[in-house]
Amino acid sequence: MNQLQIIQYNGQRVLTTAQLAEAYGTDNRRVSENFNANKERYTEGKHFFLLQGDDLKEFGDQYGNSVSVNRVSKMYLWTEKGAWMHAKSLNTDKAWEAYETLVDDYYQVKKSNNVVPLSKDQALVTLLRTTADLVENQEQIIQRIDEVERKVDEQITLHSGEQRKVQKEIAKRVYELAEQVVYKQLGFDGGEVIVPDLEKERKRLFSEIHRTIKDCFAVASYKDVRRSEFNHLLLFIQAWRPKLVA
């Protein structure tokens, strides 16, 4: 993937359709077709920004050296969530690999000092460890440290990288199973082939697998699964089968 020109809009990094197409190894037309075929799934301001009129002109003035706006009446800018939607539509290894690279090297602004704010419990652990070194009787304090550390470990949920891995595994499993279900549903009626709706089956499977994960792990979303259960969740997804698959 070539070095991308950094574009920021509304306080976040975005990509033009041309940049996204190049990264995913496809063309502008394919990206536009995927969007138009699933437009109801995209939300403006969340997955993309649509620039027209004065907004487009202002954008062109700012990025005119790298982005041409002279021959277009509107332009789409894709957020990280929008890029994920397109990777899901393309569903190729190249697209998924490119998406992960985009998240790691483009969308996420890296901080030079890599300082991560401590949670309340993590800060307490640090304070207690410092205090333990300054007193003679450390046994009780060390015991308290262990208790707090266990509490912290039990409460920490999946970080963004683990969430993306779960998203990828869910999409991979759904697309695999959808084809199996549709193949089994193929039949004949009066000499005509009955072709089931593949997109409808995928939608049903996405809904079912998310509902099953929430029920089995007792969470409101897969994002709330504890990090200690991350590997268990991946194995669960890889082995998951919907009710209608034998």
Side-chain angles (χ1 to χ4, degrees):
M1 185 187 302
N2 296 328
Q3 184 68 31
L4 292 170
Q5 164 69 31
I6 295 176
I7 296 176
Q8 292 192 332
Y9 187 79
N10 200 34
Q12 61 182 296
R13 289 190 178 186
V14 293
L15 289 174
T16 65
T17 298
Q19 287 178 310
L20 192 65
E22 180 182 0
Y24 284 172
T26 185
D27 52 37
N28 294 17
R29 179 179 178 182
R30 180 70 183 280
V31 172
S32 297
E33 287 175 347
N34 284 340
F35 172 64
N36 291 327
N38 301 279
K39 187 173 290 187
E40 72 280 358
R41 301 175 184 270
Y42 289 80
T43 302
E44 186 169 0
K46 177 181 179 182
H47 299 108
F48 68 90
F49 296 102
L50 175 59
L51 304 185
Q52 302 181 89
D54 292 339
D55 291 336
L56 181 60
K57 182 178 182 303
E58 182 178 344
F59 179 79
D61 292 339
Q62 183 176 0
Y63 293 102
N65 293 332
S66 56
V67 179
S68 176
V69 301
N70 295 330
R71 298 182 180 180
V72 296
S73 59
K74 62 182 180 180
M75 176 175 287
Y76 287 90
L77 301 177
W78 305 101
T79 66
E80 178 183 337
K81 288 184 173 64
W84 183 83
M85 293 285 283
H86 280 290
K88 183 175 128 179
S89 295
L90 292 169
N91 197 35
T92 63
D93 290 340
K94 181 177 178 63
W96 283 120
E97 290 171 3
Y99 169 74
E100 291 184 355
T101 301
L102 288 175
V103 171
D104 292 337
D105 298 335
Y106 182 81
Y107 282 114
Q108 299 297 325
V109 180
K110 300 182 183 298
K111 296 179 174 60
S112 59
N113 56 7
N114 293 321
V115 174
V116 179
L118 295 176
S119 70
K120 181 178 179 181
D121 285 336
Q122 289 170 327
L124 179 56
V125 170
T126 302
L127 175 61
L128 289 173
R129 285 203 178 279
T130 302
T131 304
D133 293 335
L134 300 176
V135 298
E136 294 181 359
N137 186 5
Q138 301 179 13
E139 183 176 350
Q140 186 175 0
I141 294 177
I142 293 174
Q143 183 178 356
R144 175 58 176 155
I145 290 173
D146 292 337
E147 291 175 357
V148 175
E149 285 183 328
R150 284 196 297 271
K151 179 182 177 183
V152 171
D153 290 339
E154 291 173 357
Q155 296 303 318
I156 293 177
T157 56
L158 303 182
H159 60 58
S160 59
E162 290 167 336
Q163 291 175 17
R164 291 194 300 273
K165 176 66 174 176
V166 171
Q167 291 171 346
K168 182 176 179 179
E169 288 298 324
I170 289 175
K172 180 179 178 181
R173 188 60 176 156
V174 164
Y175 274 71
E176 177 185 22
L177 290 173
E179 293 181 359
Q180 294 179 13
V181 172
V182 167
Y183 179 82
K184 289 184 177 181
Q185 291 176 349
L186 287 173
F188 297 85
D189 183 12
E192 295 184 0
V193 177
I194 301 174
V195 181
D197 189 339
L198 181 58
E199 185 58 29
K200 182 178 179 181
E201 184 59 28
R202 287 172 179 166
K203 184 176 180 181
R204 185 187 72 81
L205 291 176
F206 269 115
S207 177
E208 184 175 341
I209 191 171
H210 279 287
R211 183 172 61 252
T212 305
I213 289 173
K214 289 190 289 186
D215 290 343
C216 292
F217 289 84
V219 291
S221 165
Y222 70 87
K223 296 179 181 180
D224 299 322
V225 173
R226 291 187 294 273
R227 291 191 65 189
S228 59
E229 297 183 298
F230 174 62
N231 290 330
H232 181 202
L233 175 58
L234 294 183
L235 292 174
F236 177 88
I237 294 170
Q238 292 164 4
W240 178 78
R241 300 185 73 81
K243 295 179 180 179
L244 296 183
V245 175

